[in-house]
């Protein structure tokens, strides 16, 4: 399977894109880049500016947020294949509201 076809296949499994036509998926796929993160790698940092949204192709990530009173990062949720993150900073043009860490396995995102 080509990289391009692989991206379209991945998009079809994402709730946000599941009802789009093939030509619409092709337009989106042409703009995507793929990146692989090793276990425990930070993908996004809370408070950083953001202009990118991520779609999980493979793997698992933990979304963490700093608890202001105790000063520790608490896990908000865990996201896996077919889910996305980073959209809030992209849509609202605000700093990232949470830190996303790759969990215990390599993770591929688009």
């Amino acid at each position: 399977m080509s990289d391009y076809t692989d991206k379209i296949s991945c998009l079809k499994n994402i709730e946000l894109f599941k009802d789009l036509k093939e030509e619409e998926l092709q337009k989106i796929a042409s703009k995507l880049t793929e990146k692989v993160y090793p276990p425990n790698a930070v993908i996004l940092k809370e408070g950083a500016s953001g202009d990118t949204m991520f779609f999980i192709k493979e793997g698992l990530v933990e979304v963490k947020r700093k608890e202001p009173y105790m000063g520790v990062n608490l896990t908000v949720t865990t996201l896996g294949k077919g889910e996305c993150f980073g959209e809030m900073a992209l849509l609202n043009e605000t700093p990232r509201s949470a830190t996303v860490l790759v969990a215990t396995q390599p993770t591929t995102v688009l």
Side-chain angles (χ1 to χ4, degrees):
M1 186 181 306
S2 75
D3 181 50
Y4 183 71
T5 305
D6 196 35
K7 287 177 183 176
I8 292 172
S9 176
C10 180
L11 289 173
K12 288 178 180 179
N13 291 314
I14 296 171
E15 185 69 25
L16 180 65
F17 302 121
K18 70 177 183 125
D19 294 327
L20 294 182
K21 296 176 182 165
E22 189 72 20
E23 56 272 6
E24 294 168 322
L25 292 171
Q26 290 172 357
K27 287 179 184 178
I28 295 167
S30 71
K31 307 238 183 261
L32 298 176
T33 57
E34 185 173 298
K35 187 155 185 185
V36 178
Y37 290 91
N40 300 312
V42 176
I43 299 175
L44 304 176
K45 187 104 173 116
E46 186 174 350
S49 62
D51 62 357
T52 308
M53 182 176 179
F54 298 83
F55 307 101
I56 302 172
K57 181 178 172 186
E58 292 292 334
L60 195 66
V61 300
E62 289 182 341
V63 178
K64 296 184 176 274
R65 193 154 192 195
K66 190 159 195 131
E67 198 287 321
Y69 300 106
M70 298 185 330
V72 297
N73 284 327
L74 300 175
T75 300
V76 176
T77 191
T78 301
L79 303 172
K81 183 177 180 176
E83 295 184 282
C84 58
F85 58 92
E87 72 283 353
M88 294 306 292
L90 179 65
L91 297 173
N92 295 335
E93 297 181 356
T94 58
R96 301 285 185 188
S97 61
T99 295
V100 177
L101 298 172
V102 174
T104 58
Q105 56 187 278
T107 298
T108 304
V109 296
L110 299 173

